[in-house]
Amino acid sequence: MFCRQMVTGQRESAQVLSDEQTGEVIASICVCTYRRPEGLRRLLESFTRQIDAPPFEVVIVDNDPALSAREVAESFRDRLSVRYLNDPAPCLATIRNRSIQEARGAFLAFADDDEEVVDTWLGAHHRVLLQTGAVAASGPVRYEFDERVPPGIRQCRLFKRPDVPAGRDLPWFWAFTGNAYVRRSALPDQRQPFREHYGSTGGEDVDCFKKMVDAGGRLVMSGPAALVIEYREYDRARYVWVLRRALRNGGNLADMQWAHETRRAKFILALRSLKQGLAQAWRARPLAKTDSQAFVEQSIDASVNFGRFLSVFGYRYPEYGARR
């Protein structure tokens, strides 16, 4: 969606439209958007309904050279403190970093342009971080699917979040910027916390959270009061999309978890993953007609292991780089 091939090969200069408000900002909500003006409108509308939230601004980085989000952003200037920027850099990690560089808050919230948040979202995240002393918090997601998406996919693990009570620790691999709240001071890098190494694959957010946890920080869950509703169209919830996302996830996880292994150890781990993946793919075949849920889960397991195997040999599925 974001990491597209540049036609000219050069990065265009960013255009900035900022508000005139100079009041205190404690939290900055960072939103990266690309050609989803109506989704962005729905998200911004949900920001206007926040209750018991710290003083906040909204930083919108529009990745579309055609400025498709500008009109929507301007329409909220009388109800939100909005900072709008256009930056067509062909990499989501770069765009996320740009939003942080422009943000003024000591706390950074993240939400996507295919989501909307509940009224207690920002306040709940802020309270949990203050109460626990954690470096970052994540919240639950409820998916709303296109009616054509079959039950086996709606119920698969890619669309499930762990049921963790508010304030309890959360593993780093469950955190993502679709619903997160972060202490700016805890970022692994104050200006470029998201590595462009994951520019075409995505996963730069998980990598960032892993580094924060590796440095000794706590990652916690904010609970139902920080719920996000994400809208999934058919093209991003088909069986082929599930397989590709699982392949991408496996490659990224291997890249992160096996980074310090020797070449020989990586080769052994890769062969083990290949063997497991082939076995899982074989077990999935007869389930296609008898148990759609088990079929999808076995397919995900197989794709994750194939992604791990391929990563050792230099290939990770370019989920975002493959789009234009």
Side-chain angles (χ1 to χ4, degrees), residues 36 39 42 112-116 229-232 236:
R36 284 182 182 151
R42 181 174 55 212
D112 290 336
D113 60 3
D114 57 356
E115 299 175 332
E116 67 176 310
I229 299 96
E230 181 173 332
Y231 296 89
R232 279 279 163 165
R236 291 196 306 133

Side-chain angles (χ1 to χ4, degrees), residues 84 207 230 242 253:
Y84 170 90
D207 174 70
E230 181 173 332
V242 167
L253 287 172

Side-chain angles (χ1 to χ4, degrees), residues 6 8 47 76 96 117 124 127 134-135 137 193 236 243 246 261 298 310:
M6 292 291 285
T8 62
F47 292 159
F76 282 85
R96 291 206 195 283
V117 303
R127 285 191 297 275
V135 298
R236 291 196 306 133
L243 292 184
E261 299 286 352
Q298 283 287 334
L310 293 170

Side-chain angles (χ1 to χ4, degrees), residues 159-176:
F159 298 117
K160 288 184 178 179
R161 300 279 287 160
D163 186 14
V164 178
R168 296 288 182 85
D169 287 4
L170 190 71
W172 59 266
F173 48 81
W174 276 113
F176 67 115

Side-chain angles (χ1 to χ4, degrees), residues 37-106:
E38 292 311 309
L40 179 64
R41 187 185 304 279
R42 181 174 55 212
L43 177 64
L44 295 179
E45 189 67 44
S46 69
F47 292 159
T48 68
R49 300 190 293 266
Q50 295 303 293
I51 57 176
D52 297 326
F56 69 92
E57 66 176 354
V58 182
V59 179
I60 302 168
V61 183
D62 183 1
N63 197 218
D64 182 9
L67 312 182
S68 57
R70 180 174 181 136
E71 182 178 349
V72 173
E74 284 192 341
S75 71
F76 282 85
R77 283 168 56 79
D78 61 338
R79 291 187 286 166
L80 292 170
S81 174
V82 175
R83 294 171 57 78
Y84 170 90
L85 306 94
N86 176 254
D87 192 330
C91 179
L92 179 54
T94 301
I95 301 306
R96 291 206 195 283
N97 287 334
R98 184 68 193 278
S99 71
I100 289 174
Q101 292 160 13
E102 297 294 333
R104 295 177 289 173

Side-chain angles (χ1 to χ4, degrees), residues 141-175:
V141 177
R142 187 180 78 226
Y143 292 91
E144 298 288 341
F145 293 95
D146 182 291
E147 61 182 11
R148 293 171 292 174
V149 178
I153 289 179
R154 294 180 186 222
Q155 298 163 11
C156 79
R157 78 186 71 171
L158 295 185
F159 298 117
K160 288 184 178 179
R161 300 279 287 160
D163 186 14
V164 178
R168 296 288 182 85
D169 287 4
L170 190 71
W172 59 266
F173 48 81
W174 276 113

